[in-house]
Amino acid sequence: MRIVFLGPPGSGKGTQAQILAQKVGIPQISTGDLLREAVEQNTLVGRKAKEYMEKGALVPDEIVVGLVRDKLSQETAFILDGFPRTVQQAESLDEVLQQLGVSLDAVINIEIPLEAAVERLSGRLTCSECNSIYHVKYNPPAQKGVCDTCGGDLYQRSDDTEKAITHRFDVYKKQTQPVIQYYKERKKLVNVDGNRTIEEIATDIEELVST
Ligand code: AP5
């Protein structure tokens, strides 16, 4: 199975990619998580990516494509979360997949009104150890501030400020929305209504990928 999750910030890509990855037992590759790890570890990539991420801008294509290329060469099945985000990244992904002799099964586009996404992002909590995603109201942990999965500390992402969220939406509209058309033309796109509960959407997605 080779799947891509698309959607605006806060649409629930990460949440659904984690649920599906666990259900079907294949790796979730999140470019946001990979980049945050690189920043945390202060690697060369992390130092280059940091200022873009803090502003809510996209990290340059060549950096992100390099990260994904390395990961994909180690996997035969995967769920991509947050990549591709530009048409150039989508073209690069096609090239990498062609070199590996495989293709995408589906691109799942989670659709959500922007106001709902902002509310979700302002209440998001993320595990500092395993990257599990929570929400203070919609998906709270059993114990405040502690991850249900691994016991790690939960934190609020530094790009979930009002200013960075607003900028991420502008970037999404200008640079990522054309990717939807790219996959529509290639008959890979499946739209999913993201304005429902986490469980309802997960059930829908599981059905979609099993047909
Ligand atoms: P990234 O980490 O990918 O951030 P994003 O795209 O802004 O998406 P989010 O992680 O904010 O949202 P999500 O859709 O995953 O929602 P989630 O499941 O967490 O990227 C961060 C940065 O890294 C970028 O700004 C950029 O700088 C850089 N970057 C990453 N990839 C890049 C690339 N390819 N190219 C260039 N730069 C790149 O859910 C959000 C909240 O809502 C959570 O609290 C969750 O519990 C809750 N929730 C989820 N679903 C529901 C539901 N159905 N009902 C109620 N609440 C829900």
Side-chain angles (χ1 to χ4, degrees):
M1 185 189 286
R2 284 172 291 275
I3 305 271
V4 164
F5 275 93
L6 281 184
S11 57
K13 303 180 290 298
T15 300
Q16 295 300 334
Q18 285 179 359
I19 293 173
L20 184 64
Q22 214 167 22
K23 270 187 195 153
V24 297
I26 61 172
Q28 169 212 15
I29 301 174
S30 156
T31 42
D33 288 346
L34 290 175
L35 289 165
R36 277 184 289 279
E37 272 158 34
V39 171
E40 177 77 22
Q41 289 163 9
N42 197 25
T43 63
L44 183 62
V45 164
R47 288 195 292 279
K48 285 185 187 162
K50 192 171 182 213
E51 64 172 302
Y52 296 96
M53 296 177 75
E54 277 174 354
K55 280 189 288 198
L58 290 186
V59 174
D61 287 338
E62 61 277 13
I63 297 178
V64 185
V65 170
L67 272 181
V68 172
R69 192 188 295 272
D70 286 351
K71 281 277 170 192
L72 293 191
S73 60
Q74 301 159 25
E75 310 290 353
T76 49
F78 50 79
I79 297 168
L80 274 172
D81 157 25
F83 181 92
R85 285 254 241 292
T86 63
V87 170
Q88 199 188 324
Q89 290 181 14
E91 288 167 351
S92 299
L93 176 61
D94 281 348
E95 276 169 36
V96 174
L97 294 176
Q98 208 177 0
Q99 284 160 9
L100 296 171
V102 296
S103 61
L104 288 177
D105 294 304
V107 174
I108 297 175
N109 179 37
I110 306 185
E111 297 179 299
I112 181 181
L114 295 191
E115 319 80 69
V118 173
E119 196 211 348
R120 289 183 185 180
L121 290 177
S122 49
R124 170 166 58 191
L125 296 169
T126 305
C127 177
S128 54
E129 300 293 328
C130 72
N131 298 317
S132 288
I133 303 164
Y134 298 88
H135 190 279
V136 288
K137 184 163 142 198
Y138 301 119
N139 184 24
Q143 194 187 333
K144 199 177 168 196
V146 180
C147 177
D148 295 349
T149 311
C150 74
D153 291 336
L154 304 184
Y155 75 102
Q156 190 161 28
R157 273 174 43 181
S158 61
D159 61 346
D160 280 346
T161 59
E162 201 183 324
K163 197 171 167 202
I165 291 172
T166 309
H167 189 56
R168 274 154 66 201
F169 279 114
D170 288 345
V171 168
Y172 170 77
K173 283 189 213 155
K174 284 193 198 113
Q175 292 179 267
T176 306
Q177 270 183 339
V179 178
I180 295 174
Q181 186 60 25
Y182 180 91
Y183 285 119
K184 198 172 173 186
E185 284 165 11
R186 284 157 184 78
K187 310 221 177 315
K188 297 280 182 194
L189 194 78
V190 185
N191 290 316
V192 167
D193 176 8
N195 203 17
R196 296 174 291 161
T197 66
I198 293 173
E199 293 73 23
E200 283 170 330
I201 301 165
T203 305
D204 229 21
I205 291 174
E206 200 184 352
E207 269 175 31
L208 273 171
V209 299
S210 60
T211 52

